[in-house]
C-alpha cells in the first residue's frame, strides 16, 4: 500500500469562519486497530470550494475556504494510563493582524493571507489554562508536518508489519507533556495562499514566519488557549523558522489576542525546541565559502561507526552498534573532546592557509606553500605541519591515505580539497559501498540513486489521507503535498528590512533567538542533534551558539542518531525523552542545570 512509503519518508523529511474549536467530539473509535468503522463523513466545504494548488502563483478565493474542523474523540494508553484526547483537523485563516486595529471584532475588514491546515491533539482531562500547547513545524523549507506526527511526536504510529494502515499507540508521543498542533506552511500539506496573495508571497524567511505567527494567533483566539504555555517545535529548516516565529510572537505580545475564557493574562511564548536545526545557512560549508571544521566531529563519528580506519583511539564500530550505550558514553565523550579540539586547529588553518582552495593555481598558493614547508606555524600557535595535519584528517575520517612527501592532489582528496564538505564526504567515504545517506551517515545508498533529501520532486502522501479519514473524519478534496520540491531552491533568505537588526539576519535566525531571549529572559530553548547527521552537523551548531553568546542559555544535546532524532533510529531514545521531560517540566534555570548534568549514554558537551 502507498502508506508503506511512510517509513522512508519519515527518515527523509526531518531537511501545511464558523468554528475552529478543537474540543468538538463525535463517536469514538478504538485507539488501535485497522479502520473498520463505516465510511467517515467528509468535511462539508462551503459552496464554491476549490481543489487547492501549490505552485508559485496559485491561490484560492477567501470564500472557498471552510474553517469548520473535523474532530473525533480518541484514547491512548501511556505508561499504564488511558488518556482521553480529541483529534482535530481543519483549516484556519491567517489574517494580517499588523495592518489591522488591535483585537479586531470584524474579520471581514482584515487581510486574509492564507488558509493554513493543522492537525491538533488536545487532552480532554486537563484544564486548558495551564496545559501547554506545542506548535510543530517541519523543515525543507517545503516539508509538510505529517511525518512529524505519525510514529514521531503524535499519539499514534503505524504498524510496520501490517499490510493495512493499522494504528498503534505511540509510546514516544509528547501528548503526556503538551497538546500538539502540527502545522503545514503555505504550499505544503493542504495549505495555500488566499487571493490576491500567491503561494510564493510566503516563501521567504520573514514572510513565512509572519503568516505562521498569524496562524498561531488565530488558533489561540479560536480555541481559548491564551493563558496556556506555548512552545514551538521546529525540525531542520525549523531552526530558522521557529526562532523567527518566536521573536515575532514576543514582539506582538498580547496585542492581537482576544480576552481568554479564564480572564488570565496571555502566556505569549514559553520555549523553543529545535531538532537537527539549521541556524545559519552561511556557516554551512556545503552552501558557502566557510570552514568545514564544524563538520569534522560528524565525519569522525561516521568513520568510527563504520570502523574506518581501524584502531580509533578506543572507540570501535562495535561500541556504536552492539555495545551497551551507557558503557560507551565515556568513550564518545573523550573521543569528541579530542576531535572538537582538532576542529579548532582546522578552523585556524582554514583562515590562514586554505580559504577557497580550488584547482586554480592562484587559490592554492598558501596551501601549496604549507604542504611544502617542513615546519609550519600560524601566529605562533604551534599548528601542525602538513604531514601531521593530513594524517590526522585521514585517521579521523578514513578518507585518503597516510601522507607521503611529494603527494599530489590526485593522490589524496585532502590535498586536492582540504575543506571537504558533507556532499563531497558522502561521495568519497567508501565508493565501493555506494554513497552515504546525507540524513544518516550510518547508511549507504547506491551510487546512482538520488539522495531523497536532494530530490526536488513533489511527493504526495496518500497514507495521510487514509489516516485523516479514519482517525478524525477528515476527507478533503485536495491531495496532501508532503514535500513541495519547488520551494527549496526558490526560498527567499533576504530579511525584512523593516525589522531591527536586518543587516545581521541574512539566512540566519541567531539574532532572532538572541533578541527573543532579551525580550523574554526566562524563555527556554533546547537544541537536539544526531552525531551521524551530515545534513545539519552538530558541532557547527555548538560553534554558532557560542559565537552568538548564547551557550549559557541554550543547551545543545547530542545523541546517537541522524537527522531528525527519530524513535527507532536513535540509540537510547529514552535519553531524548528524558531531556524533553526536563525541558517541559522545569523553569529555565533548573532545566539548563538538568540538561547540563552528565548523562550516561550520551555526550554531555554543551
Amino acid at each position: 500500500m502507498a502508506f508503506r512509503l511512510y517509513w522512508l519518508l519519515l527518515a527523509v523529511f526531518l531537511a501545511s469562519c464558523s468554528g475552529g474549536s478543537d474540543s468538538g467530539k463525535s463517536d469514538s473509535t478504538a485507539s488501535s486497530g485497522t479502520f473498520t468503522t463505516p465510511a467517515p463523513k467528509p468535511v462539508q466545504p462551503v459552496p464554491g470550494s476549490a481543489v487547492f494548488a501549490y505552485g508559485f502563483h496559485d491561490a484560492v478565493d477567501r470564500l472557498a475556504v471552510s474553517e469548520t474542523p473535523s474532530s473525533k474523540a480518541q484514547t491512548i494508553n501511556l505508561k499504564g494510563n488511558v488518556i482521553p484526547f480529541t483529534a482535530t483537523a481543519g483549516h484556519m485563516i491567517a489574517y494580517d493582524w499588523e495592518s489591522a486595529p488591535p483585537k479586531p471584532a470584524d474579520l471581514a475588514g482584515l487581510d486574509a493571507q492564507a488558509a493554513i491546515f493543522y492537525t491538533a491533539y488536545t487532552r480532554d482531562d486537563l484544564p486548558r489554562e495551564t496545559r501547554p500547547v506545542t506548535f510543530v513545524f517541519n523543515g525543507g523549507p517545503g516539508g509538510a508536518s505529517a511525518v512529524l506526527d505519525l510514529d514521531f511526536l503524535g499519539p499514534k504510529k503505524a504498524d510496520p508489519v501490517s499490510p493495512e494502515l493499522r494504528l498503534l499507540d505511540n509510546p514516544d508521543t509528547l501528548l503526556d507533556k503538551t497538546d500538539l498542533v502540527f502545522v503545514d506552511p503555505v504550499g505544503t500539506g493542504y495549505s495555500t495562499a488566499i487571493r490576491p496573495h500567491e503561494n510564493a508571497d510566503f516563501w521567504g524567511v520573514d514572510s513565512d514566519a509572519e503568516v505562521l505567527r498569524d496562524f498561531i494567533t488565530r488558533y489561540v483566539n479560536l480555541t481559548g488557549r491564551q493563558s496556556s504555555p506555548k512552545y514551538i517545535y521546529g525540525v531542520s529548516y525549523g531552526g530558522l523558522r521557529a526562532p523567527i516565529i518566536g521573536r515575532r510572537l514576543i514582539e506582538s505580545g498580547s496585542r492581537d489576542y482576544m480576552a481568554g475564557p479564564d480572564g488570565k493574562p496571555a502566556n505569549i511564548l514559553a520555549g523553543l525546541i529545535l531538532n537537527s536545526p539549521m541556524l545559519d545557512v552561511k556557516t554551512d560549508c556545503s552552501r558557502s565559502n566557510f570552514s568545514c571544521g564544524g563538520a569534522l566531529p560528524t565525519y569522525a563519528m561516521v568513520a568510527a561507526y563504520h570502523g574506518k580506519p581501524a584502531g580509533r583511539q578506543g572507540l570501535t564500530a562495535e561500541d556504536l552498534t552492539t555495545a551497551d550505550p551507557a558503557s560507551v558514553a565515556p568513550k564518545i565523550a573523550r573521543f569528541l573532546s579530542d576531535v572538537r579540539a582538532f576542529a579548532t586547529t582546522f578552523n585556524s588553518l582554514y583562515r590562514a592557509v586554505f580559504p577557497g582552495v580550488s584547482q586554480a593555481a592562484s587559490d592554492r598558493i598558501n596551501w601549496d606553500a604549507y604542504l611544502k614547508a617542513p615546519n609550519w606555524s600560524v601566529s605562533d600557535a604551534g599548528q601542525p605541519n602538513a604531514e601531521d595535519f593530513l594524517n590526522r584528517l585521514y585517521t579521523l575520517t578514513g578518507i585518503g591515505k597516510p601522507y607521503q612527501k611529494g603527494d599530489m592532489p590526485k593522490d589524496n582528496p585532502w590535498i586536492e580539497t582540504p575543506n571537504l564538505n558533507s556532499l563531497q564526504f558522502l561521495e568519497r567515504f567508501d565508493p565501493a559501498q555506494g554513497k552515504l545517506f546525507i540524513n544518516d551517515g550510518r547508511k549507504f545508498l547506491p551510487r546512482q540513486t538520488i539522495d531523497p533529501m536532494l530530490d526536488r520532486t513533489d511527493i504526495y502522501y496518500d497514507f495521510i489521507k487514509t489516516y485523516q479519514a479514519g482517525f478524525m473524519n477528515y476527507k478533503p478534496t485536495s491531495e496532501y503535498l508532503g514535500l513541495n520540491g519547488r520551494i527549496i531552491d526558490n526560498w527567499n533568505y533576504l530579511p525584512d528590512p523593516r525589522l531591527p537588526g536586518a543587516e545581521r539576519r541574512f539566512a540566519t535566525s541567531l539574532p532572532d533567538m538572541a533578541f527573543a531571549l532579551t525580550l523574554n529572559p526566562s524563555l527556554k530553548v533546547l537544541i537536539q542533534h544526531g552525531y551521524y547527521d551530515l545534513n545539519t552537523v552538530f558541532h557547527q551548531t555548538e560553534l554558532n551558539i557560542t559565537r552568538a553568546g548564547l551557550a549559557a542559555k541554550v543547551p545543545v544535546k547530542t545523541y546517537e542518531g541522524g537527522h531528525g532524532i527519530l524513535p527507532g533510529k536513535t540509540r537510547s531514545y529514552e535519553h531524548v525523552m528524558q531531556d524533553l521531560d526536563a525541558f517541559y517540566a522545569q523553569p529555565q534555570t533548573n532545566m539548563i542545570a538538568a540538561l547540563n548534568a552528565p548523562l550516561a549514554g550520551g555526550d554531555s558537551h554543551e
Side-chain angles (χ1 to χ4, degrees):
M1 290 181 63
F3 83 86
R4 285 187 175 277
L5 289 173
Y6 162 71
W7 301 104
L8 172 63
L9 296 170
L10 182 60
V12 170
F13 296 119
L14 305 165
S16 347
C17 106
S18 58
S21 171
D22 55 1
S23 61
K25 299 180 178 61
S26 60
D27 292 339
S28 174
T29 61
S31 63
S32 63
T34 55
F35 295 125
T36 57
T37 54
K41 296 179 180 179
V43 173
Q44 297 298 319
V46 297
S49 177
V51 175
F52 290 177
Y54 309 104
F56 286 89
H57 305 299
D58 289 326
V60 296
D61 292 331
R62 164 66 185 86
L63 294 179
V65 179
S66 170
E67 288 190 292
T68 303
S70 181
S71 297
K72 187 181 269 190
Q74 300 285 0
T75 61
I76 181 175
N77 189 319
L78 277 180
K79 302 172 184 176
N81 298 315
V82 176
I83 296 173
F85 67 95
T86 298
T88 300
H91 284 91
M92 285 188 186
I93 294 176
Y95 290 94
D96 181 4
W97 304 108
E98 285 191 330
S99 64
K103 300 181 179 62
D106 182 11
L107 295 177
L110 296 182
D111 177 16
Q113 303 171 100
I116 303 295
F117 179 76
Y118 68 97
T119 304
Y121 305 102
T122 54
R123 283 188 52 170
D124 300 329
D125 58 336
L126 296 173
R128 293 199 171 189
E129 62 270 17
T130 57
R131 171 75 170 157
V133 56
T134 300
F135 297 89
V136 182
F137 299 93
N138 201 353
S145 65
V147 292
L148 306 184
D149 182 352
L150 273 177
D151 203 36
F152 193 178
L153 304 176
K156 296 294 172 179
K157 64 179 183 177
D159 184 346
V161 300
S162 173
E164 298 180 301
L165 182 52
R166 181 173 183 268
L167 296 180
L168 307 173
D169 289 343
N170 178 16
D172 299 309
T173 183
L174 295 185
L175 193 58
D176 61 334
K177 303 170 181 60
T178 174
D179 289 342
L180 295 163
V181 183
F182 294 86
V183 187
D184 293 337
V186 175
T188 74
Y190 304 125
S191 295
T192 190
I194 294 176
R195 295 185 181 92
H197 302 287
E198 300 176 342
N199 287 334
D201 291 343
F202 305 104
W203 291 354
V205 288
D206 282 327
S207 57
D208 165 82
E210 288 168 12
V211 75
L212 294 175
R213 173 206 58 186
D214 295 339
F215 162 80
I216 291 174
T217 300
R218 176 84 167 142
Y219 181 90
V220 168
N221 281 336
L222 285 183
T223 60
R225 303 307 294 264
Q226 287 85 347
S227 60
S228 296
K230 299 172 189 65
Y231 295 89
I232 302 175
Y233 187 112
V235 176
S236 194
Y237 176 82
L240 276 83
R241 173 176 279 144
I244 300 175
I245 295 174
R247 171 201 174 154
R248 299 310 300 269
L249 281 169
I250 295 172
E251 285 180 315
S252 299
S254 59
R255 179 195 66 196
D256 305 317
Y257 286 153
M258 309 294 186
D262 56 9
K264 296 180 179 179
N267 185 321
I268 306 302
L269 186 65
L272 306 172
I273 302 170
L274 308 179
N275 185 333
S276 309
M278 172 60 68
L279 296 173
D280 189 341
V281 175
K282 302 185 299 300
T283 64
D284 179 355
C285 68
S286 297
R287 305 190 192 193
S288 62
N289 187 17
F290 196 82
S291 174
C292 291
L296 279 179
T298 298
Y299 298 169
M301 286 298 294
V302 170
Y305 180 86
H306 292 285
K308 182 181 177 185
R312 302 187 47 77
Q313 302 175 3
L315 186 64
T316 67
E318 290 73 21
D319 288 332
L320 301 176
T321 54
T322 59
D324 173 50
S327 67
V328 176
K331 289 185 179 182
I332 294 177
R334 287 193 298 269
F335 177 66
L336 285 179
S337 177
D338 185 49
V339 181
R340 287 182 178 105
F342 180 69
T344 300
T345 297
F346 184 99
N347 287 335
S348 297
L349 279 173
Y350 170 83
R351 290 188 292 269
V353 179
F354 56 90
V357 165
S358 69
Q359 292 300 317
S362 60
D363 294 329
R364 300 185 62 89
I365 293 175
N366 287 342
W367 177 236
D368 287 338
Y370 170 71
L371 294 174
K372 295 174 182 177
N375 293 292
W376 179 277
S377 63
V378 178
S379 303
D380 300 322
Q383 303 289 2
N385 61 33
E387 182 176 351
D388 292 341
F389 181 60
L390 292 172
N391 283 340
R392 185 80 165 115
L393 288 170
Y394 163 69
T395 302
L396 286 176
T397 66
I399 288 182
K401 67 180 187 65
Y403 176 72
Q404 293 178 317
K405 289 289 185 181
D407 277 352
M408 303 296 289
K410 64 182 177 58
D411 302 316
N412 190 330
W414 293 110
I415 295 177
E416 179 186 20
T417 311
N419 202 41
L420 205 67
N421 66 43
S422 293
L423 297 177
Q424 295 164 324
F425 177 84
L426 63 86
E427 291 277 358
R428 299 185 183 190
F429 181 73
D430 194 341
Q433 290 202 61
K435 59 184 179 182
L436 295 170
F437 181 29
I438 194 171
N439 266 13
D440 195 330
R442 294 171 294 184
K443 304 178 184 302
F444 282 95
L445 298 171
R447 290 197 59 77
Q448 302 307 315
T449 302
I450 297 177
D451 193 308
M453 279 303 299
L454 305 177
D455 195 352
R456 298 298 183 257
T457 304
D458 290 353
I459 299 179
Y460 293 88
Y461 293 170
D462 289 340
F463 71 93
I464 284 297
K465 293 174 71 71
T466 302
Y467 168 69
Q468 291 166 340
F471 201 61
M472 54 201 74
N473 279 348
Y474 190 76
K475 191 175 182 181
T477 304
S478 300
E479 295 301 308
Y480 188 91
L481 183 55
L483 177 71
N484 189 332
R486 290 158 287 191
I487 291 180
I488 298 177
D489 293 327
N490 293 281
W491 196 254
N492 183 3
Y493 286 95
L494 289 174
D496 187 337
R498 298 170 296 179
L499 291 178
E503 67 282 355
R504 297 182 293 110
R505 297 181 60 249
F506 175 74
T508 178
S509 63
L510 289 167
D512 299 274
M513 188 187 299
F515 193 43
L517 282 162
T518 299
L519 295 175
N520 179 8
S522 63
L523 184 72
K524 296 186 288 186
V525 183
L526 170 62
I527 295 178
Q528 299 182 306
H529 267 291
Y531 292 134
Y532 307 108
D533 177 7
L534 291 163
N535 193 348
T536 56
V537 294
F538 68 91
H539 185 50
Q540 190 57 57
T541 288
E542 294 169 348
L543 295 174
N544 287 342
I545 289 295
T546 299
R547 176 171 51 88
L550 299 174
K553 283 197 168 185
V554 181
V556 180
K557 301 296 291 183
T558 45
Y559 314 88
E560 288 189 67
H563 192 66
I565 314 296
L566 300 171
K569 299 184 182 296
T570 303
R571 289 224 302 170
S572 297
Y573 192 76
E574 63 269 19
H575 292 154
V576 177
M577 299 301 290
Q578 289 168 11
D579 289 342
L580 290 169
D581 282 340
F583 175 82
Y584 277 104
Q586 302 186 45
Q588 182 197 72
T589 302
N590 295 348
M591 179 269 295
I592 293 173
L595 295 182
N596 284 342
L599 179 66
D603 172 26
S604 61
H605 177 86
E606 305 302 337

